[in-house]
Amino acid sequence: GQPVAEVIAGLLRDHPDAEGVLAEARAVTAEAISFTAEHRIVPDLDGECVVGPAPPSRRWALAMMSWAAPFEPDAPSRYYITPPEPTWPADQQEDWLAVFSRTTLPAITVHEVAPGHFAHGRRLRRLGSDVRRTLHSLSFVEGWAHYGEEVCLDEGFRAGDPRFAAGVALEALQRVTRLAVSIGTHAGTMTVEDGAARFETDAFCYGPAARAEAARATFDPTYGRYTWGKLEILRLRDQARAAWGAGFTLSRFHDALLRLGSPPLGLMPAALDQ
């Protein structure tokens, strides 16, 4: 019975403090890995994922995965969290921490860890083709992780907590706003300030977090790829259901798709032939 903006504002205010973000991220990481393995969303999930603060070179993003690369000796992958700067005013720290609310942090974590980037990276290490292990379409990489958020929702991750569904929806709003801002910035019709205002209006992202999202368009112009990749994977999944009939399972579809590595979106239908 409340306006949507008021409901979301209340959800975003419920977040750990700067000292507690990493502890909560570690707990959700273990939960996401366990859920992905139990439901066989990504087959043969193994490896170690370490959660820690982002080094200075990676603090342009609020959260990111640095996986153990396919040709490197096996090592832990790292899920980086960027805390707010302690020198910021209290209201700016609050806006930054809202990104890691108990509504949005679980959705961010399944994207970055499992069945998202960490799980994808572990799968790449098992491929026999050097090309498929090495050459990555970022539209697939990010589309897969964004798709994974919706898969977790559909498969019952935190089914008893409606905040997870709200978090998945908020993350989708953020990603489609990236698409709009990337186009506006590089068409010359939108400044960084305009982009930040767009994130505040359309994606419920505020203050320095909105500014960081808008600034990313200046050096990552295709960061709208998340939404595009997700929609193409969903379309292919519908095709797999129709083609395989009673033989369709999510595990079979994901296994066939990830055997391609990180394919250009136009080559994904090859998965239907496996």
Side-chain angles (χ1 to χ4, degrees):
Q2 293 179 301
V4 171
E6 289 183 15
V7 174
I8 293 174
L11 291 173
L12 297 184
R13 282 194 296 269
D14 180 20
H15 58 73
D17 60 21
E19 298 296 323
V21 168
L22 290 176
E24 293 209 18
R26 290 186 184 104
V28 182
T29 292
E31 182 184 2
I33 291 173
S34 176
F35 182 87
T36 299
E38 289 174 5
H39 289 253
R40 298 198 77 248
I41 296 173
V42 177
D44 305 316
L45 180 57
D46 64 358
E48 180 183 3
C49 181
V50 175
V51 182
S57 63
R58 294 291 181 265
R59 293 194 174 187
W60 54 267
L62 283 82
M64 70 162 47
M65 171 56 57
S66 180
W67 62 32
F71 288 98
E72 293 179 343
D74 202 3
S77 298
R78 300 191 178 274
Y79 174 24
Y80 289 132
I81 299 286
T82 300
E85 294 294 337
T87 56
W88 288 351
D91 60 333
Q92 292 187 13
Q93 293 193 46
E94 173 67 21
D95 287 337
W96 191 271
L97 287 168
V99 173
F100 303 113
S101 73
R102 294 179 175 97
T103 294
T104 48
L105 182 59
I108 292 170
T109 301
V110 300
H111 177 104
E112 298 295 341
V113 180
H117 293 318
F118 168 68
H120 184 195
R122 299 307 300 175
R123 190 65 176 163
L124 289 174
R125 296 180 65 88
R126 294 176 176 271
L127 299 180
S129 163
D130 287 354
V131 169
R132 292 182 181 187
R133 294 173 78 185
T134 307
L135 299 183
H136 301 158
S137 161
L138 289 180
S139 294
F140 181 87
V141 171
E142 296 297 357
W144 166 262
H146 191 24
Y147 162 79
E149 301 163 36
E150 294 196 14
V151 169
C152 283
L153 181 62
D154 293 341
E155 292 298 295
F157 183 78
R158 294 199 167 186
D161 186 351
R163 291 178 299 179
F164 181 66
V168 169
L170 285 168
E171 290 301 298
L173 284 174
Q174 180 197 61
R175 271 48 174 271
V176 79
T177 303
R178 287 176 179 173
L179 178 61
V181 171
S182 66
I183 294 170
T185 299
H186 290 274
T189 61
M190 189 179 292
T191 65
V192 171
E193 289 71 24
D194 294 334
R198 184 72 175 260
F199 277 101
E200 293 201 357
T201 301
D202 290 358
F204 303 95
C205 183
Y206 301 104
R211 173 80 186 193
E213 283 287 347
R216 181 173 169 182
T218 64
F219 63 90
D220 188 7
T222 61
Y223 76 154
R225 57 186 171 260
Y226 296 74
T227 300
W228 182 29
K230 178 187 75 172
L231 294 177
E232 288 299 307
I233 293 171
L234 287 169
R235 188 163 70 93
L236 184 68
R237 190 176 70 181
D238 288 341
Q239 294 174 11
R241 287 185 193 276
W244 297 348
F248 175 89
T249 65
L250 269 182
S251 293
R252 179 186 175 189
F253 173 65
H254 294 164
D255 184 47
L257 186 58
L258 294 178
R259 284 179 186 273
L260 299 178
S262 307
L265 300 182
L267 298 184
M268 290 194 307
L272 302 185
D273 298 329
Q274 296 189 45

